[in-house]
Amino acid sequence: MDFETVNTKLFEFLDSSPVPFFAVRNMKRMLEDAGFSGLEEGRAWELVPGGNYYVSRNDSALIAFRIPKRDFTGFMMMASHCDSPVFRVKPNAVITVEKRYEKLNVEKYGGALFAPWLDRPLSVAGRVVVRTEEGIETKLVNVDRDLLIIPSLAIHMNREANDGFKYNAQTDLLPLFRETGEGDGSFLSLIAEEAGVQPDRILDMDLYLYSRVKAVRVGLNREFVASGRLDDLQCSFASLEGFLRAKPRESVAVHCVFDNEEVGSVTKQGAGGTFLSDVLHRINTGLGRSEEEYLRALASSFLVSADNAHSVHPNHPEKADPVNRPVMNGGIVIKYSANQKYTTDAVSGAVFRAVCREAGVPYQVFTNRSDMIGGSTLGNITQTRVSLNTVDIGLAQLAMHSPCETAGARDTAYLAEAARVLFSGSIRSEGDGKYALRF
């Protein structure tokens, strides 16, 4: 496997995807470069066997699919998410302090680790909605420079800072924007300039803070990757890499990237919405197939829920399960949970192990300690809309939900190769609990 090339492309994707809107835009460009045709939810779809397509929702979620033939067996799918825990800029964002400073009023999005956000260069990116002659349209904006910083309170003023200090999101985590009276302009005019419109044309904004630190390799032999948004853009990127290299023969290959996983997924662009089921139904009906054929296809379908996993921590190995102890660069992590926070069972776990064996990539197992509660992910939420055999997997990482996470430099290529095999293959139901696998 060409680990260097994969990591170079991964870094380009991470650095150019500060928020979900840009991640989706970048994936669209990659798909278009590969000859895929864009569809719109509000227009009729004209699908043909052998066609390659993609569709987005809300500018922040995307589903791409490849149709091998009309009488396809089922759907071979991998789902990930493109949002990360960040800070959202509130409306009426500017707060003036002591008639001297201006800071931005922000609120937390998702379960972020707060401390690493402080004392590092930040900026804002997202989208604005502008008024047009016919209505409204969205424009993406990224202030591509070191713009903001959240300053820590000096140790002299907070002697408990290193003794379990509890951050207050309203008082401790607001970023410094500028000195009042220093030059012309305002936050609104800055965003308008980035969008290429006059300030009075802007009707609303979805803007988020992001860390300006670029993706890098670390370790004596550069064996680790350090970057923001590895959870879960590392899986999104690997899924797309495998998807573009796949050669579907019997089943429709479906690459899914959802938004809002970090806040529960219950949005129109999240895994708890109808996006996936809408697209699968339209593929089926667009090829002239019946509802009966659709339901039979679901019985012969498979979904991989790909969301990063916890590695054994070098400073806290006691936090890991006694025997199921995944490590970075150890291969793809298959995740199990008795309470079904992860959907993996014996059937779906066995299917994915077969995928890894066919791909020639290593895999390992994650379970939480029995006295610790883990987080949930896409798999069980997706089941409420599209019920089928599903496995939860991820890539081992440290510092999940930090603006600078750490992962293995070999694992992205492992997942991309497994995704290629998955998207090229098919699974056929031959009775409850019995399946024929074709790779």
Side-chain angles (χ1 to χ4, degrees), residues 307-345:
D307 194 2
N308 271 2
H310 300 293
S311 171
V312 172
H313 197 289
N315 294 337
H316 293 281
E318 75 281 0
K319 295 293 185 180
D321 181 78
V323 292
N324 298 303
R325 304 172 69 81
V327 294
M328 295 178 293
N329 290 316
I332 302 167
V333 181
I334 306 174
K335 303 191 286 188
Y336 292 82
S337 173
N339 64 15
Q340 286 297 287
K341 291 292 186 180
Y342 306 130
T343 57
T344 310
D345 59 18

Side-chain angles (χ1 to χ4, degrees), residues 15 27 33 84 95 97 141 144 150 171 176 198 230 233 252 262 265 291 297 299 302 304 313 318 343 359 429 437:
D15 291 342
M27 284 187 284
D33 289 344
S84 302
I95 298 174
V97 181
V141 295
D144 190 12
I150 304 175
T171 58
L176 178 64
Q198 293 299 314
L230 289 174
L233 292 186
V252 178
E262 300 294 357
S265 295
E291 181 69 9
F302 192 69
V304 176
H313 197 289
E318 75 281 0
T343 57
S429 174
L437 307 180

Side-chain angles (χ1 to χ4, degrees), residues 366-378:
F366 172 85
T367 61
N368 288 294
R369 282 176 55 104
S370 299
D371 55 0
M372 295 180 66
I373 298 175
S376 62
T377 183
L378 302 163

